[in-house]
Amino acid sequence: MPAAERGKYVYRIARLLQEKAREFAVIESMDGGKPIRESRDFDIPVAAAHFFYYAGWADKLGYAFPNRPVAPLGVAGQIIPWNFPLLMAAWKIAPALACGNTVVLKPAETTPLTALKLAELLQEAELPDGVVNIVTGAGATGAAVVNDPDINKIAFTGSTAVGKLIQRATAGTGKKLTLELGGKAPNIIFADATIDQAVEGIVNGIWFNQGHVCCAGSRLYVEESVHDEVVRKLKHRMKSLVVGDPLDKNTDIGAINSREQLGTINKYIKIGINEGSELYQSSCELPSKGFWCRPTLFTNVAQSARIAQEEIFGPVLAIQTFRTMDEVIQKANNTPYGLSAGVWTDKGSKIFNLTTKLRAGVVWANTFNKFDPTSPFGGYKESGYGREGGVHGLGAYLKLN
Ligand code: NAP
Ligand code: MG
């Protein structure tokens, strides 16, 4: 299909998604448990923004990669997790189509509904049959996509453990592979930061989407002199967080995605207590039915503690202190992950120093969890490789000669 035609289809998808945003938001919250305010103000509009953004690139690929012949890869197999179901689908489908590929997408077993609704929308956009195929199922369905010899590219977002399996399965097959895996992001607060603003950034960093976020700011490093102030303000702020019905617009923290995930989170809370860290949870009411977890933090956490090293993927924050820049850089980089980081300070020089020394794909300064289709996203180390978003995201779906 000519590039300009492809761009029109991708644009039409964006427009339809915008029109049906309300319906998609309700389905997303009912299916996965996230607060409606987040699906409505974040997941769905940001998903639409990705289609708008990549629609514009379809006939300008030559500008993205000057003097290099570009061609689509063929069939892209895309496997996504349950934490941002429609948004992850948009991240993957929009650049794939803009670059002229076809798609086989497998949503997570617990959250297939918005991907299926998107399939309906694609029909309404009159995308030719077979260009995008949504296949539901569990891990075995994902493995079938990975192992299909007619699939030329695999884009995977999910756990580091499954990412490693896929890396082995595709080795030597010539399939192009991008991996967006787990994280354990440091959120670093210097004494010169605007503390109230930083506290809001911590709250958003760890309690957005119940902490089911690969780039969640799950490790907090506070400069020693402001530790007590930050913890006191954080505990105070936790009291006002409403845990409950995902469809209620006053809800801050919705349901945990599955019984299995709640089990994992509770296991880590026990580990934290047994490791000698000090637990604090807000005392809010929890609904009687379903899977829920109170906003949780630990103080007195050792760098070697499992709750400071391993991804929990829930609303659990591990707090440590630091005295010097070198110390915090060393601690922040000291996990197997390298997806994202946050820095809170009044000093531009500290920000520039840290952005070059932190091994993280994204470093947010005086903000957190900001996403824009124009900017690349992806990890170092065991957080994966390849970038999605921006011009970088196009390269993942093209043969560049
Ligand atoms: P997961 O278990 O790795 O699952 C991710 C996807 O892979 C699901 O669709 C899953 O299907 C499928 N899958 C499972 N086993 C497979 C196999 N052997 N071969 C192929 N596909 C397979 O991850 P999760 O626990 O659902 O999601 C949370 C993880 O995703 C966290 O580690 C998080 O950090 C990561 N994540 C990373 C990013 C990023 O951009 N870096 C973004 C979001 C999430 P089923 O769901 O049906 O099992
Ligand atoms: Mg899983």
Side-chain angles (χ1 to χ4, degrees):
M1 181 182 288
E5 279 301 302
R6 296 200 305 262
K8 280 189 215 164
Y9 278 107
V10 180
Y11 188 78
R12 210 177 293 155
I13 296 165
R15 287 292 300 273
L16 284 169
L17 199 49
Q18 213 174 29
E19 275 171 31
K20 297 171 191 294
R22 185 71 199 153
E23 194 182 355
F24 271 87
V26 171
I27 295 172
E28 197 73 305
S29 281
M30 289 178 75
D31 198 22
K34 64 175 68 207
I36 187 72
R37 219 171 46 216
E38 291 179 11
S39 337
R40 189 193 63 197
D41 298 344
F42 180 77
D43 294 71
I44 313 305
V46 180
H50 277 77
F51 283 106
F52 277 120
Y53 174 76
Y54 281 110
W57 271 119
D59 58 355
K60 301 170 194 73
L61 297 174
Y63 290 93
F65 303 97
N67 306 318
R68 293 172 78 178
V70 295
L73 296 169
V75 186
Q78 307 180 325
I79 301 167
I80 57 173
W82 43 261
N83 57 342
F84 295 99
L86 185 75
L87 182 56
M88 290 297 112
W91 273 30
K92 289 191 165 31
I93 294 174
L97 296 185
C99 293
N101 303 277
T102 59
V103 166
V104 179
L105 175 106
K106 192 201 94 67
E109 196 186 0
T110 60
T111 55
L113 295 186
T114 44
L116 293 171
K117 190 76 190 161
L118 180 68
E120 258 178 47
L121 183 151
L122 298 175
Q123 284 176 331
E124 202 178 323
E126 293 175 7
L127 197 71
D129 284 349
V131 171
V132 173
N133 307 273
I134 313 278
V135 289
T136 58
T141 308
V145 171
V146 169
N147 293 321
D148 191 313
D150 291 329
I151 288 182
N152 310 91
K153 186 221 154 84
I154 300 293
F156 174 77
T157 297
S159 62
T160 294
V162 174
K164 287 180 180 178
L165 288 178
I166 294 177
Q167 216 170 354
R168 274 185 226 119
T170 53
T173 63
K175 285 187 177 123
K176 196 161 169 167
L177 178 63
T178 42
L179 297 173
E180 302 269 9
L181 308 176
K184 190 76 184 175
N187 211 350
I188 301 168
I189 302 195
F190 288 91
D192 58 31
T194 309
I195 299 296
D196 290 346
Q197 190 195 351
V199 166
E200 284 311 305
I202 301 164
V203 168
N204 172 271
I206 187 62
W207 293 312
F208 181 60
N209 198 27
Q210 297 77 244
H212 301 327
V213 182
C214 51
C215 50
S218 51
R219 290 184 292 152
L220 180 63
Y221 291 98
V222 190
E223 192 165 351
E224 206 175 72
S225 60
V226 289
H227 172 267
D228 293 355
E229 180 190 355
V230 167
V231 171
R232 180 170 40 81
K233 287 184 165 167
L234 199 52
K235 287 180 178 173
H236 180 71
R237 182 67 175 80
M238 282 165 86
K239 292 195 181 108
S240 64
L241 294 174
V242 179
V243 182
D245 182 359
L247 292 180
D248 184 334
K249 64 183 185 331
N250 294 316
T251 293
D252 296 301
I253 297 179
I256 299 302
N257 181 264
S258 64
R259 186 188 300 279
E260 188 192 358
Q261 189 58 25
L262 183 60
T264 304
I265 296 166
N266 285 334
K267 179 192 84 180
Y268 273 106
I269 292 176
K270 286 207 185 82
I271 289 171
I273 294 167
N274 292 336
E275 283 174 329
S277 301
E278 200 173 310
L279 172 76
Y280 178 85
Q281 288 184 306
S282 67
S283 52
C284 60
E285 291 270 310
L286 296 183
S288 55
K289 268 193 192 162
F291 314 129
W292 310 94
C293 184
R294 293 192 169 86
T296 301
L297 63 76
F298 281 99
T299 48
N300 287 323
V301 181
Q303 178 70 23
S304 59
R306 288 183 65 191
I307 58 164
Q309 289 289 325
E310 297 173 21
E311 185 181 53
I312 300 172
F313 223 59
V316 182
L317 178 66
I319 305 181
Q320 294 177 256
T321 58
F322 69 93
R323 285 184 186 168
T324 67
M325 181 69 111
D326 284 349
E327 180 191 353
V328 77
I329 291 168
Q330 195 276 331
K331 283 180 167 172
N333 285 335
N334 181 17
T335 77
Y337 296 112
L339 191 58
S340 64
V343 181
W344 300 83
T345 170
D346 242 10
K347 297 272 182 303
S349 57
K350 285 184 184 163
I351 294 171
F352 286 117
N353 189 18
L354 282 169
T355 48
T356 56
K357 293 191 178 138
L358 292 173
R359 294 289 290 161
V362 179
V363 181
W364 285 294
N366 296 325
T367 186
F368 207 90
N369 276 339
K370 281 274 182 288
F371 296 91
D372 189 283
T374 64
S375 91
F377 184 88
Y380 290 112
K381 302 194 286 186
E382 292 192 21
S383 291
Y385 53 77
R387 293 291 178 265
E388 291 185 319
V391 179
H392 300 66
L394 295 167
Y397 288 100
L398 291 169
K399 257 185 259 173
L400 293 166
N401 297 308

